[in-house]
Amino acid sequence: MDVGLVGQHLMNGLMLGMMYALVAVGFTLFFGVMDIINFAHGDVLMVGAFVGLATYLGLTFVGIENPWVLLLAMIAFATCTVAALGALIARFLVLPLKNAPPLNTLLITLMLGTALHEGVRLFYPRGANPQHFPSLLPSTDYAFGNFTLRVDSVMLLVAGMAAIVGLHLLINRTKLGLAIRAVAQDEDTAKTMGINFTLIVLVTFAIGSALAAFAGILHGLYYSEINFAMGLLLGVIGFSAAIVGGLGNIYGAIIGGFLFAGLQTISVVALPFASAYKDVFAFGVVILIMAWRPTGLIREKVSERV
C-alpha cells in the first residue's frame, strides 16, 4: 500500500483516538470515585457540542467575527456549562442513589441520556437535522504525495494532547488530584483525613463532563457537523475503550481509546470488507480482548486507582 495513504489513515486514527480517549477518561473518573457507569456521558458530550455551536451563533449575531475569539469563547462557555451540568448530575442523580443497587444508577443515567438527546432534538431549532459546525481553524494543508497534512487537524490533535497532559498533571501534581485519588482508593479513609467526599465527587464529575464537552467541540471542528444522536455511538465507544483499557485506570482508558481507533483504521486500510463494517470489526475485536482479559489490558490495582 502507498505510504502516503497509510500516513493519512494513521493521522485520521490519531484524531479519532484522541476523541475516544477524552470520552473514556470521563467514564473512568466517574467509576473511580463512585463505582458507577454514567451512561449519559455520551449525550453530555453532545450537549457540549451544541452549547459550543449556540455560543458561536450568539456571538456572530452580536457582530463578533474574530475566529480565535469565537473559538476560545465556544470552548470556555461549553466546558463551563457542561461541567456545571456534570456537577448537577452528580449532586441530584448520582449521590442520592449512592447506597442504591448499581442497576438503579445505571438506569437513571441511561434515561437522562435519552432525555438530553431528545431535548436537543425537540427544543433546539431544527434540532432533528444535522447542524453545520463552523470551521474556525486555519484550513491550510500540505500535500506529500497521497498524504495531506491539514493544519487544523494538527492543532486539534495538539489541543487534545494538551487536555490529557493537563489532566495528568491535575491528578498527579495537585492537592485536588491527591484528594480525588484518595477518594477513589478508600472513601472512608479519605473522609477520616478530612477530605470533603461530596465536593470531590462534584468536582470529578465536572472535570469528566468538561472533557466530554471539549471532545464534542473537537468532533464538530473535525467533521464540520454535529447532530443530536452523535453522543450515543461516541458514548458506547468511549465506554468500550474504558473497559478494554481497564476501567478505573486513566491511562488504560487512553490506551483503550487509541486502540479502538486503531482497530477501526486497520479495518478500513488492511481488510477486504467495506469501511461501513469498521465498527463491527472494532467491537468484535474488543469482545475477544475482553474474553481474553476480563479486567482489561491494564489490570486495576486498588492502590493506583484513578
Side-chain angles (χ1 to χ4, degrees), residues 18 99 119 121-122 144 150 173 227 294 303:
M18 186 61 66
N99 297 316
R121 184 178 71 87
L122 294 172
F144 305 94
R150 289 171 47 184
R173 302 292 178 83
N227 64 75
S303 60

Side-chain angles (χ1 to χ4, degrees), residues 3-90:
V3 176
L5 282 177
V6 173
Q8 195 70 61
H9 287 295
L10 178 62
M11 187 68 187
N12 296 339
L14 288 174
M15 274 303 307
L16 283 176
M18 186 61 66
M19 286 184 271
Y20 297 162
L22 290 172
V23 182
V25 164
F27 279 105
T28 281
L29 285 173
F30 305 151
F31 183 80
V33 297
M34 284 294 292
D35 280 348
I36 64 136
I37 304 299
N38 176 13
F39 275 117
H41 193 49
D43 291 299
V44 168
L45 176 152
M46 177 273 301
V47 171
F50 272 85
V51 171
L53 177 60
T55 303
Y56 167 82
L57 295 174
L59 292 177
T60 53
F61 180 77
V62 297
I64 298 176
E65 296 182 351
N66 186 300
W68 296 109
V69 173
L70 290 169
L71 183 60
L72 291 176
M74 286 169 62
I75 293 174
F77 193 68
T79 53
C80 290
T81 302
V82 175
L85 174 63
L88 290 173
I89 292 172

Side-chain angles (χ1 to χ4, degrees), residues 176-187:
L176 174 61
L178 182 62
I180 292 173
R181 285 186 286 141
V183 168
Q185 290 168 15
D186 191 324
E187 174 190 332

Side-chain angles (χ1 to χ4, degrees), residues 24-305:
V25 164
F27 279 105
T28 281
L29 285 173
F30 305 151
F31 183 80
V33 297
M34 284 294 292
D35 280 348
I36 64 136
I37 304 299
N38 176 13
F39 275 117
H41 193 49
D43 291 299
V44 168
L45 176 152
M46 177 273 301
V47 171
F50 272 85
V51 171
L53 177 60
T55 303
Y56 167 82
L57 295 174
L59 292 177
T60 53
F61 180 77
V62 297
I64 298 176
E65 296 182 351
N66 186 300
W68 296 109
V69 173
L70 290 169
L71 183 60
L72 291 176
M74 286 169 62
I75 293 174
F77 193 68
T79 53
C80 290
T81 302
V82 175
L85 174 63
L88 290 173
I89 292 172
R91 178 64 185 84
F92 295 106
L93 295 181
V94 175
L95 283 171
L97 294 178
K98 183 175 180 296
N99 297 316
L103 195 59
N104 291 22
T105 308
L106 186 152
L107 184 59
I108 201 168
T109 58
L110 194 62
M111 291 189 292
L112 173 64
T114 303
L116 287 176
H117 73 244
E118 284 300 302
V120 169
R121 184 178 71 87
L122 294 172
F123 299 112
Y124 191 88
R126 297 184 294 109
N129 300 323
Q131 305 288 319
H132 173 70
F133 206 85
S135 300
L136 298 173
L137 295 173
S139 58
T140 309
D141 54 40
Y142 300 93
F144 305 94
N146 288 322
F147 174 64
T148 301
L149 182 64
R150 289 171 47 184
V151 173
D152 57 346
S153 296
V154 174
M155 295 179 73
L156 292 175
L157 198 56
V158 171
M161 291 175 63
I164 289 177
V165 171
L167 179 66
H168 166 78
L169 295 176
L170 174 69
I171 295 295
N172 294 288
R173 302 292 178 83
T174 66
K175 289 185 179 179
L176 174 61
L178 182 62
I180 292 173
R181 285 186 286 141
V183 168
Q185 290 168 15
D186 191 324
E187 174 190 332
D188 294 331
T189 302
K191 289 178 177 175
T192 304
M193 295 171 65
I195 294 174
N196 187 326
F197 172 75
T198 300
L199 178 62
I200 293 301
V201 170
L202 298 185
V203 170
T204 304
F205 269 71
I207 293 172
S209 300
L211 287 174
F214 188 61
I217 291 179
L218 292 186
H219 187 280
L221 290 170
Y222 187 65
Y223 290 107
S224 299
E225 183 180 291
I226 59 175
N227 64 75
F228 77 96
M230 62 188 281
L232 179 60
L233 182 59
L234 284 171
V236 172
I237 289 176
F239 177 58
S240 302
I243 292 290
V244 77
L247 193 58
N249 187 301
I250 287 177
Y251 308 105
I254 295 170
I255 292 172
F258 282 100
L259 173 65
F260 199 96
L263 291 171
Q264 289 181 318
T265 303
I266 289 172
S267 72
V268 172
V269 177
L271 300 181
F273 44 73
S275 61
Y277 292 95
K278 67 180 189 299
D279 290 338
V280 176
F281 172 76
F283 280 118
V285 174
V286 167
I287 290 170
L288 294 177
I289 292 175
M290 292 311 302
W292 170 50
R293 290 182 69 90
T295 58
L297 294 177
I298 297 180
R299 195 185 302 274
E300 176 186 331
K301 296 179 181 177
V302 174
S303 60
E304 297 178 357
R305 200 170 181 181

